[in-house]
Amino acid sequence: MQELSAKWIELFGSNSDVSSHSVAGIIIRLLAFFFDLVYQLSEKVYYSQYLNTASGVSLDRIAANFGVNRNSATRAIVDLLFTGTPGYVVPSGSLFKTSDDKVYQLGSSVILDTKGTNTGTAYAVELGVDYNVPANTVINQVEVTTDIFSVTNSEPAQGGADDETDAELARRVRLANDTKPSSPVNGVISAVMKVPGVKNVQVILNNTMEPDEYNNPAKSIHVYIDGGEESKISTALFESVAAGILMVGSKETYLTDLSGNPNNHVAFDFAEQQIIYVNVKLSVNTDFELDGLEQVEKAIAEYLDTVKMGGIVRYSYLYKYIYDNVKGIVVADVKIGDEVNNLSMADVHLKQFATAKSTNESMVITKDGI
């Protein structure tokens, strides 16, 4: 606006009135408003060509140049164990839920055996990572029948994922640029990271003829993975680990190769989820929004998602995430720990094959003593 005002005076004389209430001043400010929009657009166009600054569709196009596509949200899958009247058929499409009303739909009919038990696979009715619920939580019938005595999931639900964020996509693009699918170790990481929902991968390769410090057998590879669907992970490992290398882990399956051989052994382990307890006391001002406490929870969860498997949860980093993402905070007092009764202003070292996890119960956030 100053440049436009100076140019106006240069063209029409030093006596020109360019104040905000003059005709010239109004025209200048109107032009400045639209020029500002053009400059903002130009800046966005300029930064959209770089991986570190691109966002949205622009980032999708950069990722496509590396053969990487943004992962869409996916449904969680869970195996349900039924107990009930022998011979009873649990109809396909039956609904079951957790105590907090996360609903799952049975994929196909299940016939209870002579002992009155059997298992079936159910799918979350909605997309998202929130449906990756722990074991023994899908225990309620939506439409109750007396022929089903009980239902539960002996294993956690898996495979649910939210739409991939810009930060997550950019991270995968960098990884794809650094490592190409080959075998092992970087190629295995690259291949598994392409599976929707996978956040972290750690590979333990034992090249010796003796068991290693983790008791992995000789000439073996043990892959630990955070997130993702078991069947898709197994396929990624099968396609990236070279023949002749023994895969180790509690999640085992056998896949068929192109020659028709169905005896190709694939194994891995999901990472342990280490609960991080967080206590935050806030002093706020009038800029603090009504959902400010939820914003703080989200900021904490976003930081924990960035901590690598076996890494260190830096308590000081939480201050940056809280102050940068939540308005109206004057002072934040943060304490963390891996035990609910042992919180302090100190970093938390994760276990070797564990990732940081938070829950509604593990985070206590208060403002001004409330």
Side-chain angles (χ1 to χ4, degrees), residues 115-281:
K115 296 181 180 179
T117 62
N118 208 342
T119 60
T121 301
Y123 302 85
V125 297
E126 295 183 10
L127 306 173
V129 70
D130 290 341
Y131 281 79
N132 292 337
V133 297
N136 303 315
T137 54
V138 186
I139 56 176
N140 301 304
Q141 303 178 56
V142 174
E143 297 179 357
V144 179
T145 172
T146 56
D147 287 308
I148 298 178
F149 304 154
S150 67
V151 58
T152 189
N153 57 312
S154 56
E155 296 288 336
Q158 59 182 250
D162 296 328
D163 287 320
E164 192 170 29
T165 65
D166 287 344
E168 292 168 341
L169 177 58
R171 178 169 174 257
R172 285 203 303 121
V173 172
R174 294 188 191 95
L175 188 62
N177 189 42
D178 293 339
T179 58
K180 300 298 181 183
S182 58
S183 180
V185 169
N186 285 343
V188 174
I189 295 174
S190 177
V192 176
M193 283 297 296
K194 291 182 179 180
V195 176
V198 171
K199 297 179 180 179
N200 276 288
V201 180
Q202 189 172 150
V203 177
I204 303 299
L205 183 64
N206 182 10
N207 282 322
T208 70
M209 297 301 295
E210 302 290 337
D212 63 14
E213 59 182 304
Y214 305 109
N215 204 32
N216 294 315
K219 300 297 181 181
S220 67
I221 185 171
H222 197 160
V223 184
Y224 293 85
I225 300 168
D226 175 28
E229 183 182 332
E230 184 174 337
S231 61
K232 293 180 180 179
I233 292 171
S234 297
T235 300
L237 289 172
F238 176 58
E239 294 175 349
S240 60
V241 176
I245 297 180
L246 174 64
M247 283 186 267
V248 180
S250 61
K251 302 297 181 181
E252 298 181 282
T253 189
Y254 290 87
L255 298 179
T256 303
D257 58 30
L258 295 177
S259 69
N261 176 22
N263 298 316
N264 297 282
H265 176 257
V266 177
F268 70 95
D269 272 309
F270 283 114
E272 177 186 350
Q273 293 186 335
Q274 186 171 343
I275 300 297
I276 301 299
Y277 295 91
V278 183
N279 187 293
V280 181
K281 296 180 180 179

Side-chain angles (χ1 to χ4, degrees), residues 86-125:
Y88 177 72
V89 178
V90 185
S92 171
S94 298
L95 301 177
F96 304 90
K97 65 179 182 178
T98 62
S99 57
D100 57 350
D101 293 328
K102 290 183 174 65
V103 181
Y104 300 79
Q105 185 175 42
L106 191 63
S108 58
S109 299
V110 175
I111 302 175
L112 302 187
D113 58 23
T114 55
K115 296 181 180 179
T117 62
N118 208 342
T119 60
T121 301
Y123 302 85
V125 297

Side-chain angles (χ1 to χ4, degrees), residues 280-293 295-296 319-333 365-368:
V280 181
K281 296 180 180 179
L282 303 173
S283 177
V284 302
N285 58 30
T286 54
D287 292 330
F288 192 75
E289 298 177 355
L290 292 176
D291 64 342
L293 296 181
Q295 293 179 30
V296 174
Y319 287 102
K320 172 178 173 54
Y321 274 80
I322 292 172
Y323 283 120
D324 286 354
N325 292 285
V326 185
K327 297 178 181 178
I329 295 179
V330 179
V331 177
D333 179 23
I365 303 170
T366 58
K367 63 181 180 71
D368 294 328

Side-chain angles (χ1 to χ4, degrees), residues 295-312:
Q295 293 179 30
V296 174
E297 287 186 7
K298 182 179 179 181
I300 293 171
E302 286 180 355
Y303 166 63
L304 293 180
D305 282 342
T306 68
V307 180
K308 293 185 177 181
M309 189 187 308
I312 301 174

